[in-house]
Amino acid sequence: MTVTGIVMALIVGLIVGALGRLVVPGKQNIPIWLTMVIGIVAALLGTVIARAVGVSDTKGVDWIELLFQVVLAAIGVALVAGVGSRRRLTR
C-alpha cells in the first residue's frame, strides 16, 4: 500500500466513522481516534460485504457500499460507546 493509499484510508475512515457517529442517537463519549479506527474497520468490512453481494462496482458513486460502511460504523460506535458507558456505571 502506498502512502497515498494509507492517507486515503485514514480520510475515508474518519468520514465513515463520523457519519456512523452522527447516525447513533445521543452523546458518545469516545475519542476521535477510536471513531477513526471504527470507521476504517467499517469501511473495509463494508467493501467486503458489497463485493460479496455484487454491488461494489457500479457507475458513479457506490451508494450501497457507502450505506453498508456507514451502518457498520454506526453499529461499531454504538457498541463501543455502550461498553464504555456500562463500565462507568459499574465503577
Side-chain angles (χ1 to χ4, degrees), residues 8-42:
M8 288 305 296
L10 292 174
I11 292 170
V12 168
L14 183 60
I15 292 168
V16 168
L19 288 173
R21 195 171 178 159
L22 287 173
V23 172
V24 176
K27 187 174 193 284
Q28 301 86 33
N29 290 323
I30 59 174
I32 193 69
W33 67 265
L34 189 54
T35 302
M36 188 166 63
V37 169
I38 292 168
I40 291 169
V41 171

Side-chain angles (χ1 to χ4, degrees), residues 13-78:
L14 183 60
I15 292 168
V16 168
L19 288 173
R21 195 171 178 159
L22 287 173
V23 172
V24 176
K27 187 174 193 284
Q28 301 86 33
N29 290 323
I30 59 174
I32 193 69
W33 67 265
L34 189 54
T35 302
M36 188 166 63
V37 169
I38 292 168
I40 291 169
V41 171
L44 292 172
L45 287 176
T47 300
V48 168
I49 292 170
R51 286 187 180 164
V53 174
V55 294
S56 68
D57 197 19
T58 60
K59 294 180 182 177
V61 178
D62 295 329
W63 293 108
I64 298 173
E65 181 179 355
L66 181 62
L67 180 68
F68 285 148
Q69 293 170 344
V70 172
V71 167
L72 288 170
I75 291 169
V77 166

